[in-house]
Every structure is written in structure tokens, then in C-alpha cells.
Amino acid sequence: MDDYPLLNLFWTMLWFFIWIMWLFLLFKVITDIFRSHDMNGWAKAGWLILALILPFLGVLLYVIFRGKSMGQRDMDAAQEREAAFRSYVRDAAGQPEGSASGSHVAELARLAELKDNGSLTPEEFDKAKAKLLT
């Protein structure tokens, strides 16, 4: 280890980190090529060949020419995932309208709100809750 100074170790780690980041970017570009709906098959094939044959130049050119639309596609996909997640949570947490347990939840929430603002005493809240749950 005496012939490999600490500064060389840092340089090696830096280059390794840059190489790993470039690999991530390469995979991101390749997935974006296939995900892009505004390109036809020949354009996708051309970008893919360029990214695979001349990887550094191909990735750099793709990011330069299509980076903005690549970011927009990422934002659109994230918004779609967020909307799907919110829809799933609403469907999983709530009952279909008109069901008995859905109305019980709404009634309990209304009773808790009345208790919180002082319209109901804790005893009245407990009685109403017990009546509702039986």
C-alpha cells in the first residue's frame, strides 16, 4: 500500500463514482427511448444504436437534444403514479357510498368534531358512539 498514495485512492473513487453515475444515466436514457411516445420506431432504433455503439457521445447527445422532454415524461409519469396511489388509498380506506360502515365512519367523524368544538360533552359523545356502534 505504500506505493498507492491516498490522493490516488480518492481519484480512483471519484472516477468509479462518475462511471456508476454514467451507467445510471445510460439506463435512464435507454428506458426513456422506449417510453417516448412522440418518436417513431426508426427514431427509437437510431437513438438506441447511437447510445449502444457510441455510448458516451450517444447519451450526451440524447440528453442535449431530448433532455427537456425526458424530464417532462418523468414528471408526467410521477403525477400518474401519484394519482393512481391516491385513488387506491381512497378506494381502500373508504367504503362505497351508501354502505353502512361508510356512513358510520362519517357519523363518528361528525360526532368527534362536535365533541372537539364543545357542542357535545364527553359523556354524550360516548353514549352516541355506543349507540352508533351497536
Side-chain angles (χ1 to χ4, degrees):
M1 275 288 188
D2 293 335
D3 59 342
Y4 198 68
L6 186 61
L7 185 59
N8 285 351
L9 177 66
F10 287 136
W11 275 110
T12 303
M13 289 173 42
L14 176 69
W15 282 110
F16 183 72
F17 176 74
I18 290 172
W19 182 69
I20 294 294
M21 292 305 295
W22 177 81
L23 278 177
F24 275 106
L25 184 59
L26 174 68
F27 290 128
K28 180 94 173 127
V29 163
I30 290 173
T31 57
D32 189 68
I33 289 171
F34 287 109
R35 190 173 51 177
S36 179
H37 296 294
D38 61 336
M39 284 193 298
N40 63 18
W42 288 107
K44 288 180 182 184
W47 278 113
L48 190 61
I49 288 170
L50 184 64
L52 293 176
I53 300 297
L54 299 169
F56 292 109
L57 183 63
V59 167
L60 181 64
L61 289 174
Y62 190 85
V63 170
I64 289 170
F65 289 113
R66 300 197 35 93
K68 186 174 182 179
S69 61
M70 187 167 111
Q72 186 61 43
R73 279 187 293 280
D74 281 344
M75 290 296 294
D76 293 343
Q79 289 171 349
E80 287 175 13
R81 284 191 304 269
E82 179 70 21
F85 175 73
R86 288 182 185 270
S87 173
Y88 171 75
V89 168
R90 273 195 304 275
D91 291 345
Q95 297 292 329
E97 293 186 29
S99 68
S101 61
S103 61
H104 288 312
V105 170
E107 186 65 25
L108 281 173
R110 188 181 69 76
L111 287 173
E113 185 179 319
L114 288 173
K115 182 183 118 185
D116 289 341
N117 69 18
S119 297
L120 287 177
T121 64
E123 294 81 20
E124 292 172 331
F125 173 76
D126 290 336
K127 286 180 188 176
K129 183 173 84 170
K131 181 181 176 186
L132 186 65
L133 294 177
T134 56

